[in-house]
Amino acid sequence: MKTQTIHKKIESYQKKLLKHSLYNEIKTIEDLQCFTENHVFAVWDFMSLLKALQNTLTCTTTPWIPVGNPEVRYLINEIVLAEETDLDSDGTHKSHYEMYLEAMQSCGANTSVLKNFLADVEETQNIFVSIKQSNLHPQVKAFLDFTFRVIEEGKPHQIAAAFTFGREDLIPAMFTEILKELEQNFPNNDLSKLIYYFERHIELDGDEHGPMAMKMIEQLCGNDDKKWQEVEEVSILALEHRIQLWDAIEEQIKEKELIC
């Protein structure tokens, strides 16, 4: 089973995500703030998937020894370089997570929920305890729990599946258009950093990281039918959780509108 087959298997889930009614609900800066305050958890846990792959596929301890396939090591290290230390809109090196936080602050979104959650993670030293005892929306909790269950299981091809197929590469283009429209309608709000984040995401995924991640999956699975089957299953679950995350964000936006 090759990556093309996986794409066909997950096509209906991707279409559901692309046609989600959430996009039509983001009409005001307050809606956008609500979106980013939830979506930032997906930005953050993506970095955890990335580092889990690097820890599994390369040597990140001392004394150093060569680990695994050199081609796979190259692919994951190249992706880590850009995701963890990319250039922001001011030409300063930052992770994409840090870029997103700055973009949130620029548009007036609240970053304290995420920061408090991370502080709790540091205190408990147990991601699952922190998720369970948090006040996050149940679907945000489920989204995070799924990610870290995949990481905990430790199978490189499954982590790579959640990383590669579970993180769609078409959504950023849609949000870039939404942001540009909001920027025109609300000129007093600075959305330039958020627009840069999504545009950079599109550029990297389309030209570099997308093809690299696909190649990494092929290297990890080879001709092992069981691994390809597990990749398909994890990819579908990852997309289902992303759809449910979108459901949760839409629900919260509508609830805010009712309160107002």
Side-chain angles (χ1 to χ4, degrees), residues 192-204:
S192 60
K193 289 183 181 294
L194 204 50
I195 291 172
Y196 177 84
Y197 169 87
F198 280 116
E199 287 182 337
R200 183 65 177 144
H201 195 78
I202 294 164
E203 180 184 359
L204 281 175

Side-chain angles (χ1 to χ4, degrees), residues 88-148:
D88 68 7
S89 56
D90 299 321
T92 304
H93 286 101
K94 287 188 180 73
S95 68
H96 285 187
Y97 162 75
E98 289 163 318
M99 285 187 204
Y100 198 85
L101 278 187
E102 285 193 356
M104 286 178 67
Q105 291 164 345
S106 293
C107 74
N110 181 7
T111 61
S112 64
V113 175
L114 174 71
K115 289 178 179 178
N116 291 339
F117 175 77
L118 295 188
D120 190 71
V121 171
E122 287 188 304
E123 184 178 336
T124 66
Q125 293 295 300
N126 187 316
I127 184 64
F128 300 107
V129 169
S130 292
I131 292 169
K132 187 175 181 179
Q133 69 188 18
S134 74
N135 292 321
L136 299 175
H137 189 286
Q139 294 297 357
V140 177
K141 287 186 176 186
F143 184 88
L144 292 172
D145 188 77
F146 168 76
T147 295
F148 287 97

Side-chain angles (χ1 to χ4, degrees), residues 65-82:
I65 56 171
V67 172
N69 184 323
E71 182 65 20
V72 173
R73 292 201 302 262
Y74 163 75
L75 292 169
I76 191 59
N77 282 333
E78 278 292 303
I79 296 173
V80 168
L81 178 64

Side-chain angles (χ1 to χ4, degrees), residues 50-66:
L50 176 69
K51 298 305 285 186
L53 282 171
Q54 189 180 39
N55 289 338
T56 304
L57 301 175
T58 74
C59 182
T60 56
T61 58
T62 56
W64 180 89
I65 56 171

